[in-house]
Amino acid sequence: MAHRHDGDRADGNSDTQARDLLYRFDTVGRFHASQTEGRAADPRRFISFEALGRALLHAKSQAYGRDDLRLPDAAVGHPGRPTRTVVLIDEIDKAPRDVPNDLLVEIERLRFPIPELASDTDPLPTVELTLAERA
């Protein structure tokens, strides 16, 4: 991944995904730990947050990261109360077309999914789609 992160700045490029500006998951580290520790290897240990991800987490109460995401306080580095942050995302026009729209959704909701933390016991929705018959 070639996107750069300096403090609260992230640069987009042609292979940037929205997730890359929110957090990073150490898949190799998690795999290694699962081989040595088995199911005891908590995936939360392998997450680090990027500038936009930290800004979104810091905009919410500290309890969100701790209770909703079940992350240790040190992983989020929360300042203790909701805080306004400025994040510069430079050259977003170089990212794939859907990245800006995906980021707008996450910014509007002030939350973002972390699929790597989903457990086997998390409830999955039932979705039923119907189509209107055409005459």
Side-chain angles (χ1 to χ4, degrees):
M1 179 51 98
H3 88 276
R4 195 178 87 212
H5 167 255
D6 295 308
D8 287 339
R9 175 192 167 112
D11 292 326
N13 63 38
S14 62
D15 63 348
T16 296
Q17 297 176 5
R19 180 195 113 148
D20 299 328
L21 301 173
L22 298 166
Y23 72 94
R24 196 175 300 167
F25 186 77
D26 181 4
T27 307
V28 174
R30 169 73 167 110
F31 176 75
H32 176 70
S34 70
Q35 297 301 306
T36 58
E37 301 170 28
R39 293 187 70 75
D42 187 353
R44 288 163 183 77
R45 292 187 351 222
F46 303 95
I47 286 200
S48 60
F49 292 97
E50 298 297 327
L52 184 57
R54 281 192 315 274
L56 293 176
L57 289 171
H58 292 183
K60 298 179 83 61
S61 73
Q62 190 171 9
Y64 172 70
R66 182 180 56 242
D67 301 338
D68 293 7
L69 297 176
R70 298 181 304 268
L71 292 168
D73 288 336
V76 178
H78 199 282
R81 60 181 174 73
T83 305
R84 184 173 295 175
T85 307
V86 175
V87 177
L88 169 64
I89 302 174
D90 194 20
E91 300 182 349
I92 194 72
D93 58 312
K94 291 183 180 176
R97 161 190 265 167
D98 57 337
V99 170
N101 289 335
D102 292 347
L103 289 176
L104 287 175
V105 169
E106 313 303 356
I107 291 168
E108 180 180 6
R109 292 178 22 208
L110 284 180
R111 61 178 55 222
F112 51 93
I114 304 176
E116 294 87 352
L117 297 184
S119 74
D120 295 338
T121 61
D122 286 345
L124 296 174
T126 301
V127 177
E128 186 175 324
L129 300 175
T130 61
L131 298 173
E133 286 189 44
R134 293 186 185 183

